[in-house]
Amino acid sequence: MATLPLSIAMQASCCLNCGTTELSKLTAANRYRHRHNGLRGSVKLGIERNLVFGEVVQNFKETPLRDRDLKVYATSRVSVEPMEQRVYTSTETEEAGKVSTYRFRTETGDMVKVFVRMKNAKCIVNIEVSSLHLSSNDRLLVLSWGIYRSDSSSFMPSNFRSSTPADRTTTLETPFTETCSGRFTLELEFEAKQIPFYLSFILKSPADADSSDLDIRSHRKTNFCFPVGFGRGYPAPLGLSFSNDGSMNFAIFSRNAESVVLCLYGETTAEKPVLELDLDPYVNRSGDIWHASFESGWDFVSYGYRFDEGNVLLDPYAKIISRSVPHGTGLKYLGRLCEEPAFNWAGDVRPDLAMEKLVVYRLNVTRFTEHKSSNLPTNIAGTFSGLTEKLEHLKHLGVNAVLLEPIFPFDEQKGPYFPIHFFSPMNWFGPSRGPVSAVNSMKDMVKKFHADGIEVLLEVVFTHTAEGEALQGIDISSYYHINGVADLKARNALNCNYPVVQQMVLDSLRYWVTEFHVDGFCFINASSLMRGSKGEYLSRPPLVEAIAFDPLLSKTKIIADRWDPHGSVPKETRFPHWKRWAEVNSKFSKDVRNFLRGEGLLSDLATRLCGNGDIFSDGRGPAFAFNFISRNSGLPLVDLVSFSGVKLASELSWNCGEEGPTDKTAVLERRLKQIRNFLFILFVSLGVPVLNMGDECGQSTGGSPAYSDRKAFDWNALGTGFATQTTQFIAFLSSFRIRRSDLLQERNFLKEENIDWYGSDQSSPKWEDPSCKFLAMKLKPDEEEATEPGDVSPPIWGDLFVAFSAAARSETVILPPPPEGMGWFRLVDTALPFPGFFSTDGEPVPEQMAGLFAYQMKSHSCALFEARCL
C-alpha cells in the first residue's frame, strides 16, 4: 500500500502543504464498519518507517520552497485514547449545527465534495465523488486515507500503546458506496475529543486483470487534504475573538508571508507548542488576513503564530498576554486563550473635564510606589493598585488628571518608550504580576480615580517598536519604514500612515477607551506620525486626521508630544490639528527657563503667559497648550537650579552660583526662589500646567538628564521642609486657578482690553531688549464675569497684577490704581520665607499716597496681587 507523501495539497477551497516533523503520540482508528454489512475487515498497516521517511526526504528535496513553508506540528503532549472508527455509506443529511464544506477537482476533472459537521459530540465527515469516469468494470472506488496532526509520516497508529515506532505510520483503505445516480459516497465518524486533525486522502480504483491500480489525486497531482475540527474562520475582527457558542476565531494580518502556522500551547512555560496548524492560503486567507476558527479550546492555554519558518510570534491584537520561555535575546510573549475578564463598571462616570480646567501630574506607575518608603505591601507596590493607595497625595496637590508613562508591554532593557505590544498593560503592573491581574487592577484604578474626579491619560508610543519584536517577523515591509530615510529604518520606525498600521493604532486607541475607560492619550514622538511611506512629512497625515475625527475618540483628549525617545531633535513642523489636537508645549519650558536665568526676551515670556498665540491662535486656543517646566527626560526641577555645566547647555539650566550640592545659604535661598518662580509661572500662565513626579519633594538625578537615571519616588522626602512648603504652594496655586478661572482657565485668548503690560516703573516694557529682566501684567476680568448673574453688589475680587523679575537686584514696583472701592492684596511673593511667601487671605499693600501703591521686589522673584473690596 502506498503511503501518503509529505507535500499534501488541497485544491479549490482548501490547499495545504505540510512538512516533516516529529511523530505525534496519537491513537488511530483500528477498524471500520459498513452500516449495512457489519464488520468488513481490519485496517492494513502502512509500510516500514524507514520507507516513509525515505519518501518524505525525497519529496522535501523536490518540493518548492512554498510547499515546504506550511507545517503542522504535534508533540508528545497530545494524547488521544484508542477509538473505533466506522464507515457508513449513507449520504442522508441531518441538521447538526455548522457544516464546513470543501470542494476539490481531481486530475481527471471530476468533483470531490467533503462535508464536516458535529453531531452528538462526534465529528461526521461525508465524502462524495460525482461524475467519476472509471475504466474498471466493477466500478469500485476506495478511499486511501490517513489522519494526522503533524504530517503524512505521523499518522495516528492503529494501536499506539502496543505498536512499535516502526509501525506508527499507516494509511487506511475504505470503500465507497455507489448510489443509483452514479455518485460515490461514504461517511466517517470520529470522537470529538480527537479533533483537530488533518485528513489526507487519495482515490483508488482497484485493478482488473488487464491493468494496474488507478490512483486519483487532485488536479495538482497532490493528495487531497482538509482540516477536521477547525474551520475557515473569519477575517474580522483581528486578533482572538469568541462567539456566543464558545468557538474561537483567530485573525492576523500579513501581506507578504508565504506561510502562517497557528501554534497552540498546553502550558505557558512550554518550549514547544502542543499543536501547530497550517493556515491554508486558499481557505484561511481573505486578502491579507489569515484566519481560522475552533469550536472549542480544548486544554490549550496560549497561542502564537509562526511565519515563514521563523520564531513563534505574539499576535499583535492579543488582549491577554503572558511571558513564556526565554527566547533569543529577550522573553517570548504569547496570547492567552481566554476571554477578557469581566469587570463591573457600574457607577463609573467619566469626569469629562474641559481642557482648560486640567491640572496634570505625569508619573511612572512602577516608580511612583515601588520604593519601600511607600509602606505598601510588596504585591501592591509599583502597581496600578499602588496608585489608588496614594490617591490622597494627588488630591492634596489639586491634581485632576494623571498622565501615565507608557504602560504597554515594553523592552525591559530600554524602558517604556520602546513598546512590543499595543493592546494590553504590562503584566508587572498587576498585584500578582500576571496578565489578568494587571487588566483588573488598571480598570479598578481608573474607576476609583474617576470617582474622585481625576482623569486618566496615557502616554502612547506608536511611531516605533523595540528591536526584534513581533511585527517585524509578521510583515516588516508593511509595518515598518524599510526603504527611504535611513534613520527611520535604524529606529524600527513604524510606517504609521500605511493603512494596516493606521488601523492597528485606531483599534488600539478605541480598545483603551471602551475597555479601560481612559480619558485621553499623549502621543510621544508625534512628529513621526506625519511621516509618509518614504519618510516625507505629510501636510494631511491620514492617521492624525483619522484620530481627530474618530467618533469613539471624540470625548477624549488627544495630545501631540514631539519629544523623541531616541534622542534626536524633532523637526519643527506645524502639527495639523483639525481643532482637536492639543500639544505638549516645549517652547513654554524653553522660554521660561531662559527668562529666569536672565537670558530671555520679555516678548517671549509674554507670549507664554498669554497662551502661546504663536502656536495656538490657528483655531484652537490656550487650552490646547500643555505647559511644563520639567519632564521625565532632562533635568528634574531641583536640578534645573543646581546644575549648569557645559554638557547641560541644552537644558537651559542655571546653578544659581555654584555647581551641584552646596551648603552656602545664599545659593540655597536663590535656588528655592527659582523653584517657586518656575511653579508660579507654570500656574499663572494660560494653558494646562503639567507637573512631573518627584518635583514636589525635590528629587534629583545628580545632574543627569538621562531617563534611566530617574529614581523611584521617595515618600520619606515628603516629610522634609522643602517638600512641605512646595506641596502646599502647589495646592495653593491649583486652588487659586480654580477660584480665578475667569482669568487663568480661559479656553480662548484674552481680549486686548483685558490685559495691560508694564515695566518696573509703569513704563511700557522693552520687549526686544535682552538687558530688561522685569515684566508685569494686569489681568482684568470682563464685568459680567466678575459678578454672579443678577448680583448688583460689587465683585468680591477684581484685577490681578502679576510681576516677574529675573534681575539680580531689587526692584521697586509701582502698581496701577486698583478698581474703585478696592485695594491691592499680596497673595504671593516667592522671595519671602515660608509660610509667608503665599497666602489665601492676602496681605494688604499700603497706599503710599493717594492712588499710589508701591512694592519692593527682591532679586529673582515673582509676586501676585489681587484687587479686593476694602
Side-chain angles (χ1 to χ4, degrees):
M1 179 187 302
T3 57
L4 300 183
L6 167 67
S7 182
I8 300 173
M10 182 162 56
Q11 298 309 310
S13 297
C14 187
C15 177
L16 289 168
N17 304 303
C18 302
T20 306
T21 64
E22 59 200 64
L23 291 179
S24 169
K25 294 185 179 178
L26 300 171
T27 59
N30 55 12
R31 51 194 176 135
Y32 61 87
R33 185 178 300 274
H34 191 283
R35 172 170 290 185
H36 302 295
N37 297 331
L39 187 63
R40 285 282 303 273
S42 300
V43 171
K44 300 178 182 179
L45 294 179
I47 59 177
E48 296 291 331
R49 182 183 183 188
N50 56 359
L51 176 57
V52 174
F53 273 46
E55 247 186 308
V56 167
V57 174
Q58 181 180 3
N59 191 287
F60 186 83
K61 292 179 179 178
E62 295 173 357
T63 303
L65 178 60
R66 181 177 178 86
D67 291 336
R68 297 201 303 265
D69 280 343
L70 296 172
K71 291 188 176 180
V72 184
Y73 291 81
T75 73
S76 59
R77 294 185 184 277
V78 179
S79 178
V80 180
E81 295 300 318
M83 61 93 180
E84 182 180 275
Q85 168 250 316
R86 298 177 174 84
V87 178
Y88 302 97
T89 59
S90 173
T91 58
E92 55 208 36
T93 59
E94 301 176 20
E95 294 298 324
K98 298 179 181 178
V99 177
S100 298
T101 304
Y102 304 93
R103 294 179 176 87
F104 308 90
R105 187 158 48 87
T106 70
E107 56 191 330
T108 58
D110 301 304
M111 183 64 68
V112 178
K113 296 180 181 179
V114 177
F115 305 93
V116 182
R117 71 184 189 280
M118 297 298 296
K119 176 186 175 185
N120 299 328
K122 295 182 184 295
C123 186
I124 309 298
V125 176
N126 293 100
I127 302 177
E128 179 182 293
V129 183
S130 59
S131 305
L132 189 62
H133 302 289
L134 298 176
S135 59
S136 170
N137 294 328
D138 294 335
R139 289 188 61 80
L140 295 177
L141 187 64
V142 175
L143 187 79
S144 180
W145 59 283
I147 56 178
Y148 57 89
R149 281 183 169 172
S150 57
D151 55 66
S152 58
S153 66
S154 301
F155 293 126
M156 296 182 181
S158 58
N159 191 338
F160 177 79
R161 287 182 174 83
S162 61
S163 61
T164 64
D167 293 330
R168 294 179 188 172
T169 58
T170 185
T171 57
L172 312 177
E173 287 194 350
T174 304
F176 282 86
T177 295
E178 185 175 8
T179 67
C180 59
S181 61
R183 291 179 299 169
F184 292 89
T185 64
L186 63 77
E187 183 176 282
L188 307 177
E189 181 180 291
F190 303 94
E191 296 293 336
K193 63 183 178 181
Q194 289 186 289
I195 60 176
F197 58 79
Y198 286 88
L199 194 152
S200 177
F201 67 92
I202 62 173
L203 304 177
K204 298 185 69 174
S205 179
D208 55 27
D210 300 323
S211 62
S212 59
D213 290 354
L214 175 63
D215 291 350
I216 302 173
R217 291 179 168 82
S218 74
H219 75 284
R220 293 180 64 196
K221 302 187 185 304
T222 56
N223 292 63
F224 303 98
C225 184
F226 61 91
V228 177
F230 67 99
R232 181 176 186 271
Y234 305 95
L238 290 172
L240 172 67
S241 57
F242 293 82
S243 62
N244 292 333
D245 62 3
S247 61
M248 299 180 294
N249 190 77
F250 301 82
I252 190 170
F253 167 91
S254 183
R255 166 170 290 183
N256 297 298
E258 293 189 355
S259 69
V260 179
V261 180
L262 175 60
C263 304
L264 302 172
Y265 291 76
E267 298 177 9
T268 56
T269 57
E271 293 189 22
K272 294 183 179 180
V274 170
L275 178 64
E276 296 197 3
L277 297 172
D278 260 327
L279 302 189
D280 186 299
Y282 290 88
V283 176
N284 302 107
R285 183 173 185 175
S286 299
D288 298 326
I289 308 298
W290 300 74
H291 45 81
S293 63
F294 289 101
E295 294 299 321
S296 60
W298 304 280
D299 294 327
F300 305 129
V301 297
S302 55
Y303 74 103
Y305 292 93
R306 189 189 303 280
F307 291 81
D308 298 335
E309 302 290 347
N311 294 322
V312 178
L313 302 174
L314 174 65
D315 177 3
Y317 274 75
K319 306 304 190 301
I320 306 292
I321 71 172
S322 58
R323 286 181 182 174
S324 186
V325 296
H327 181 67
T329 58
L331 288 170
K332 180 169 63 175
Y333 285 83
L334 295 171
R336 292 285 295 273
L337 284 171
C338 63
E339 296 189 70
E340 297 163 63
F343 184 80
N344 181 14
W345 284 107
D348 180 59
V349 179
R350 299 173 188 264
D352 196 22
L353 301 173
M355 200 108 74
E356 64 272 15
K357 304 295 183 182
L358 295 180
V359 176
V360 180
Y361 186 93
R362 179 193 277 113
L363 62 86
N364 178 285
V365 174
T366 299
R367 291 174 178 168
F368 192 58
T369 61
E370 71 174 345
H371 196 276
K372 62 181 181 180
S373 61
S374 68
N375 294 322
L376 295 178
T378 54
N379 65 319
I380 298 298
T383 69
F384 294 123
S385 299
L387 296 188
T388 62
E389 295 293 326
K390 298 298 183 180
L391 188 55
E392 287 301 316
H393 174 66
L394 301 175
K395 291 168 62 178
H396 173 69
L397 293 175
V399 167
N400 58 18
V402 290
L403 176 59
L404 307 185
E405 290 184 17
I407 61 170
F408 299 169
F410 54 82
D411 184 323
E412 296 176 28
Q413 299 299 317
K414 291 191 173 183
Y417 293 97
F418 295 86
I420 63 174
H421 195 59
F422 304 109
F423 286 88
S424 64
M426 190 76 168
N427 290 351
W428 70 28
F429 294 147
S432 68
R433 303 319 194 247
V436 174
S437 169
V439 169
N440 284 333
S441 62
M442 180 177 175
K443 291 179 178 179
D444 183 65
M445 178 269 293
V446 171
K447 186 175 181 179
K448 288 180 178 178
F449 273 51
H450 283 178
D452 277 297
I454 298 177
E455 294 193 337
V456 179
L457 313 176
L458 302 183
E459 285 190 339
V460 291
V461 182
F462 288 114
T463 56
H464 60 271
T465 66
E467 178 68 35
E469 292 309 323
L471 294 177
Q472 297 175 22
I474 292 172
D475 194 337
I476 190 170
S477 61
S478 293
Y479 281 106
Y480 291 87
H481 286 283
I482 60 173
N483 299 312
V485 183
D487 69 311
L488 292 178
K489 182 178 179 181
R491 289 198 243 165
N492 308 306
L494 287 169
N495 190 1
C496 296
N497 289 295
Y498 187 72
V500 69
V501 184
Q502 176 182 329
Q503 187 62 45
M504 180 184 68
V505 173
L506 288 170
D507 287 343
S508 174
L509 296 174
R510 294 166 185 155
Y511 176 71
W512 289 100
V513 170
T514 57
E515 295 298 322
F516 290 86
H517 292 202
V518 301
D519 302 287
F521 304 93
C522 180
F523 294 77
I524 299 299
N525 194 22
S527 296
S528 290
L529 296 176
M530 302 170 60
R531 297 268 198 159
S533 59
K534 297 181 180 179
E536 75 279 16
Y537 284 90
L538 306 174
S539 60
R540 294 190 64 169
L543 175 59
V544 176
E545 185 172 5
I547 293 172
F549 290 103
D550 189 276
L552 277 177
L553 305 178
S554 62
K555 293 293 184 180
T556 63
K557 279 79 176 174
I558 51 175
I559 310 146
D561 187 346
R562 303 188 189 209
W563 175 69
D564 183 355
H566 289 91
S568 301
V569 177
K571 182 179 179 180
E572 288 296 330
T573 56
R574 200 88 174 167
F575 196 86
H577 56 81
W578 291 278
K579 298 182 180 180
R580 274 284 287 133
W581 282 85
E583 296 183 44
V584 173
N585 187 11
S586 58
K587 282 189 174 181
F588 181 90
S589 174
K590 173 185 175 182
D591 289 343
V592 173
R593 290 183 188 188
N594 269 331
F595 173 77
L596 288 181
R597 68 179 186 156
E599 297 186 12
L601 297 176
L602 298 183
S603 59
D604 292 335
L605 177 64
T607 301
R608 304 304 150 222
L609 292 169
C610 289
N612 309 280
D614 56 335
I615 306 173
F616 299 100
S617 61
D618 52 357
R620 290 180 286 181
F624 288 81
F626 278 63
N627 301 327
F628 70 95
I629 298 299
S630 64
R631 57 177 302 154
N632 52 358
S633 62
L635 293 178
L637 180 58
V638 73
D639 288 357
L640 279 176
V641 300
S642 304
F643 298 90
S644 54
V646 176
K647 293 182 179 180
L648 297 174
S650 62
E651 293 293 316
L652 306 178
S653 57
W654 178 45
N655 63 18
C656 297
E658 185 167 326
E659 188 73 1
T662 183
D663 56 3
K664 294 183 178 179
T665 301
V667 174
L668 292 174
E669 289 180 349
R670 196 175 299 128
R671 289 177 179 178
L672 186 58
K673 285 191 297 182
Q674 289 289 75
I675 289 174
R676 295 171 179 174
N677 293 339
F678 275 125
L679 292 171
F680 178 75
I681 294 176
L682 178 65
F683 276 83
V684 299
S685 300
L686 293 185
V688 177
V690 181
L691 298 166
N692 199 61
M693 181 187 85
D695 283 349
E696 70 269 36
C697 58
Q699 287 201 238
S700 169
T701 61
S704 171
Y707 174 82
S708 57
D709 289 329
R710 292 284 168 144
K711 300 174 183 178
F713 191 97
D714 185 355
W715 291 89
N716 289 332
L718 286 176
T720 63
F722 172 86
T724 298
Q725 59 178 287
T726 303
T727 54
Q728 290 184 18
F729 187 42
I730 293 173
F732 164 80
L733 293 172
S734 298
S735 176
F736 181 74
R737 274 180 65 89
I738 296 173
R739 184 168 68 81
R740 296 312 310 263
S741 60
D742 57 329
L743 293 173
L744 301 180
Q745 291 184 340
E746 283 287 333
R747 190 171 185 85
N748 301 313
F749 290 101
L750 293 171
K751 302 172 187 176
E752 188 174 352
E753 58 265 26
N754 292 121
I755 185 168
D756 295 326
W757 299 100
Y758 303 95
S760 60
D761 56 357
Q762 290 280 301
S763 61
S764 297
K766 298 178 181 179
W767 295 114
E768 305 304 320
D769 186 349
S771 65
C772 291
K773 304 183 189 306
F774 178 89
L775 180 67
M777 64 179 182
K778 182 172 74 169
L779 303 178
K780 299 173 287 184
D782 291 328
E783 289 187 7
E784 60 270 19
E785 293 182 358
T787 59
E788 294 293 330
D791 188 358
V792 296
S793 60
I796 299 175
W797 50 75
D799 300 347
L800 296 178
F801 185 80
V802 194
F804 314 89
S805 176
R809 64 180 186 280
S810 298
E811 294 273 358
T812 299
V813 182
I814 305 299
L815 280 70
E820 185 178 352
M822 291 186 171
W824 289 112
F825 286 75
R826 188 199 74 229
L827 303 185
V828 175
D829 183 348
T830 59
L832 297 178
F834 177 75
F837 76 91
F838 67 92
S839 170
T840 300
D841 297 332
E843 291 291 328
V845 178
E847 190 173 9
Q848 304 294 326
M849 59 181 67
L852 178 65
F853 294 83
Y855 187 82
Q856 187 77 16
M857 284 185 64
K858 294 183 179 180
S859 63
H860 303 292
S861 66
C862 298
L864 170 65
F865 305 87
E866 184 177 39
R868 295 181 177 178
C869 293
L870 296 173

